[in-house]
Amino acid sequence: MILLVGALLFISNGIIRDASERLADIHRTQVKPLAEVNELQSKINRVRVTEIYLPLMGDYFALAAEIDRLHTLITDFDQSFDRFKDHTKSIYPLEIKSINNSWKRLRGNLQKVAEAASLSQLDDARRISTYESSPRFVSLSRTLDGLAQKIKIESDSVYQQALSSLEKKRRQFLIISVMAVLSGIGLLLLFSRSLSVRVGYLRRAFNRIAEGDMDETLEIKGNDELAELAAAFAVMKEKVRSREQALNLARDELEVRVQHRTQALHDTNQQLSAEVEERRKAEQNLRILSQAVSQSPVSIIITDNTGSIEYVNQAFTTITGYSSEEVKGNTPRMLSSGKTAFATYQQLWTTILAGGEWEGEICNRKKSGELHWEYTHISPVKDEFDVITHFLSIKQDVTEKKAQQEKILYQAQYDSLTDLPNRMLALDRLESTIRQSRRNNIKAILMFIDLDGFKHINDSLGHDVGDVLLIQAARRLRDSVRAVDTVARHGGDEFLVIMGGIEDRDDGLPVVENLLSAFADPFKIAGNDLVVTASIGLALYPDDGEDANVMLRNADMAMYQAKDNGRNTFHFYNPSIHEHLSKRLELEKYLRHAISKQELSLAYQPIIDMDGERVVAVEALLRWSCGALGEVSPVQFIPLAEQTGLIIEIGNWVIENACRQLKQWHNMGYPHLSVSVNISPRQIQGEDLHQTILQHLHTNELAAEQLILEMTEGMLIRNPAEARRILISLKDLGVQLAMDDFGTGYSSLSNLKNYPFDLLKIDREFVFDIEDDPADRAMVLAAISMGKGLGLKTIAEGVETQRQLDLLRDMGCDRVQGYFHSKPLKAEQLQSWLERNSVTG
Ligand code: C2E
Ligand code: MG
Ligand code: MG
């Protein structure tokens, strides 16, 4: 701070000194010379005026005075100029020199004028003054003027410099002053803050101590009054604290004493109330017990040690119908129903007379005569000498519970839909049949029955129809077996039949026949005539398995074999089934990849119209050249594809490729050719088939009637109404429908009229023997004439000989297909065949 003030004083002193120096300088270099120049100017003017007037003086004395005056003025100017010269020649050397020269010349002229005048040669004096002095005077006067101007200009600039330097110094002075003032204020604030912090600390410490916080330390550093005040206060605090501690100790001691006293009083009090409570509880327990006994929902009997009834409660009276008076003095034997085993009573008495407790179920009779089951618990009541004085019998009515248990047991063992034993009970019975057979050294048969096509009915007509079908099927099964045989539901549409007491495998055959024929008639459910057949697998004990699980597995496998054999049939288990099944699994594995591996192809077999022997259509027949298994016949893999559902994808592939191929033949000059594709029952469920057909007809720009769909009777049998609906919807697409393999199924010719078929393909089985077997001939003839009657075109399949062809022509058959004309050919082969046989489509 002091330094700042010192600096300020130093600067202000500098400013003042600088200002005065500058002032002096200005005075020396500008003001004084300027004044002297002005003085010289006025003096030279006076000299000139005197010179001019001199020749004009007429009076001699006046003239002399004027000459003196001129000399005086010259001398005066000389002196002034000498002074001026002394101190300005270093500042304005050029100008001084110029003035000096001008003055010397002018003084010379002036001397001449004065001499001429003193000689009274006034004209000379006038001439010299006018023509010689005048220009010199003007020159001197101008030089003085110029110097005055220069001094003036310089003085202005010096003045401006002095001013700006002063201004600069003034600003510095101002900045430093402001800084000095701010630092002063800062220092003041710092000082006051340190003071107020310490005072604040002191105040807070006082406040805390005043609030009782004696641990507060009061420490103020320094050696001023505040520190002393803090130290004094700390001493006072210490004193107060030690007093307070003493007081606290005294109070704690007093409190402990009071507590001890209170606890002692409390303990005595609690002991007293516990005793009172114990007594109150004992009384209450007694009351509750007697109430519980009398109001208990279970019946209670108390007898003396001879069994004579002394007490019965309200529940006993309510349940049995006997009043308390009616039973008192009697023994519980009066309730006996005669249904409880004698041994039970014997065990009961032995136990309780030996001092033990007995519990078990007893069937008693009420006053009304009604029987009821009671779960009874009897315990002896002993006195303080451990002698039995009474018996306490507690009985709970369990009649309903027993019925419930029986129901649950039934539900666990019987199928709720068909009321037949379920799988669990069936296995149980099978095991006991096996045990019995083993004992008696006889045989037993297990049949595994699966309904054919049940899944389809369930899916298409709904589960309600499916359920009714299962109930009816169960009834038919039940009615087809012997009373001693067990019919059970294995699950879904699978049933089991267990037959014991069998001598030989063939003993089961009549029952199998009964079972199969039980399914011959359609099931009439919800307005549908549903034909559902059964496939049956049989396993024989002990030949095909010695325990229930093996028997079950083998019968199941045999059932699969029956399915593979065309369904609606039975099959006995034999070990080769294993092999068959694993082959089937292998086949299925490869078939799944047949399309993606491009192993499938189509062969085409011409269908020839008898009229002019023209090829009118070709049948597309699937070929599978399996990489691992070689050529696999469609007879083998088509049923498998159907069972696994792969037929949908494969069938679509066939339609796509057959349509594309047909289009190529159209383009090659056979525009009237049609293609016939085989459709499986599984394919016609759902909308997929319709979409596929429409798409490929459209893509290949084919007329719908150039596509023929061949279907076997199989699909008509299961649900004729649904089959009709589907066939009509397919017909609506414009395609032609052919009934394939006619004669091998069950449908009768008259049945055909219900369906929108266009073509009837007579199975090659009948054509084969047409030459030798009159029955087959008759059948083919009937089919042809019936077909004609219904407006269908007939096609004979499997025509191999000229003779067969002739016979068929005679019978009026419209078209033929068979090796006689051509085996199924690859597309390219068929094309050359068409060319070779010069057929023009
Ligand atoms: P299908 O529809 O009755 O086909 C006619 C079968 O008879 C063909 O057997 C054919 O090669 C054979 N065949 C034709 N002419 C004669 C003959 O003069 N003598 C003899 N002995 N046989 C002849 P393939 O190709 O083995 O087909 C067997 C069955 O496989 C077909 O019977 C058809 O039901 C089924 N199938 C073939 N391809 C397909 C298909 O793409 N889809 C479906 N779902 N089934 C097909
Ligand atoms: Mg066919
Ligand atoms: Mg056929």
Side-chain angles (χ1 to χ4, degrees), residues 582-592 594 597 599 624-633 636-637 640:
S582 62
K583 265 201 188 137
R584 192 175 170 275
L585 280 176
E586 194 185 21
L587 203 62
E588 185 184 331
K589 187 177 80 186
Y590 292 124
L591 188 58
R592 282 193 187 280
K597 286 189 168 173
E599 292 175 345
W624 178 22
S625 176
C626 174
L629 307 171
E631 294 294 327
V632 185
S633 158
Q636 244 182 309
F637 72 81
L640 182 65

Side-chain angles (χ1 to χ4, degrees), residues 257-513:
R257 279 197 204 153
V258 168
Q259 259 177 14
H260 283 163
R261 190 92 191 108
T262 315
Q263 186 60 43
L265 278 170
H266 179 74
D267 290 351
T268 326
N269 210 9
Q270 259 196 343
Q271 214 172 324
L272 273 172
S273 30
E275 278 168 20
V276 169
E277 180 63 9
E278 215 171 298
R279 202 164 297 168
R280 198 184 61 76
K281 268 193 186 151
E283 278 167 15
Q284 198 188 23
N285 278 350
L286 212 61
R287 224 175 21 253
I288 291 172
L289 262 176
S290 88
Q291 237 173 41
V293 169
S294 76
Q295 288 171 17
S296 163
V298 296
S299 44
I300 294 172
I301 305 173
I302 300 175
T303 68
D304 64 12
N305 56 5
T306 65
S308 167
I309 297 173
E310 287 188 0
Y311 171 86
V312 290
N313 70 350
Q314 187 52 46
F316 174 89
T317 309
T318 315
I319 292 167
T320 61
Y322 290 111
S323 69
S324 170
E325 290 69 36
E326 281 175 300
V327 293
K328 265 188 193 162
N330 280 311
T331 68
R333 228 162 296 147
M334 67 176 286
L335 305 166
S336 169
S337 65
K339 301 270 179 196
T340 312
F342 179 66
T344 308
Y345 287 117
Q346 255 186 338
Q347 195 211 357
L348 183 165
W349 280 108
T350 334
T351 311
I352 59 173
L353 285 176
E357 294 182 5
W358 183 89
E359 54 186 24
E361 282 175 0
I362 296 177
C363 184
N364 281 333
R365 195 181 293 280
K366 297 182 183 179
K367 189 178 175 183
S368 62
E370 190 190 336
L371 296 178
H372 68 136
W373 279 94
E374 287 182 312
Y375 182 79
T376 310
H377 180 276
I378 304 172
S379 53
V381 181
K382 296 174 185 168
D383 63 11
E384 62 265 43
F385 308 109
D386 214 20
V387 174
I388 297 171
T389 56
H390 292 85
F391 290 108
L392 171 67
S393 165
I394 301 170
K395 307 191 292 176
Q396 194 177 0
D397 195 325
V398 290
T399 317
E400 229 171 82
K401 201 165 131 200
K402 269 183 98 68
Q404 200 75 26
Q405 274 170 352
E406 268 162 27
K407 196 172 160 199
I408 289 169
L409 194 67
Y410 183 85
Q411 280 170 350
Q413 294 183 324
Y414 285 83
D415 171 49
S416 59
L417 183 70
T418 56
D419 260 347
L420 292 179
N422 63 12
R423 181 176 191 274
M424 203 182 80
L425 183 58
L427 279 177
D428 204 42
R429 296 226 178 132
L430 180 60
E431 269 161 14
S432 69
T433 306
I434 288 173
R435 273 197 302 276
Q436 223 172 324
S437 306
R438 192 177 294 134
R439 265 199 309 276
N440 301 334
N441 202 18
I442 48 168
K443 294 182 190 289
I445 286 182
L446 173 67
M447 298 184 196
F448 199 110
I449 304 165
D450 188 279
L451 304 187
D452 302 324
F454 173 77
K455 188 179 173 323
H456 172 56
I457 288 172
N458 214 24
D459 291 346
S460 55
L461 298 178
H463 289 227
D464 290 346
V465 171
D467 283 354
V468 177
L469 177 61
L470 287 174
I471 293 168
Q472 290 188 14
R475 201 172 302 142
R476 289 190 192 186
L477 289 173
R478 184 68 268 169
D479 293 347
S480 312
V481 301
R482 308 170 308 180
V484 287
D485 299 334
T486 295
V487 178
R489 186 175 175 203
H490 182 255
D493 61 342
E494 295 166 348
F495 296 89
L496 300 173
V497 172
I498 303 164
M499 296 173 65
I502 298 288
E503 297 273 312
D504 185 67
R505 185 178 289 255
D506 292 345
D507 289 355
L509 291 182
V511 176
V512 170
E513 265 159 32

Side-chain angles (χ1 to χ4, degrees), residues 223 301 344 514 517 541 545 602 613 631 695 709-710:
N223 44 13
I301 305 173
T344 308
N514 274 350
S517 56
Y541 170 85
L602 288 176
E613 295 250 331
E631 294 294 327
Q695 183 196 333
L709 308 181
E710 294 189 10

Side-chain angles (χ1 to χ4, degrees), residues 13 55 111 168 174 203 237 330 354 361 403 637 646 805 811:
N13 179 47
Q111 294 291 354
K168 209 166 127 196
L174 253 177
R203 184 173 51 79
K237 187 196 79 181
N330 280 311
E361 282 175 0
F637 72 81
L646 287 169
L805 183 68
M811 287 179 188

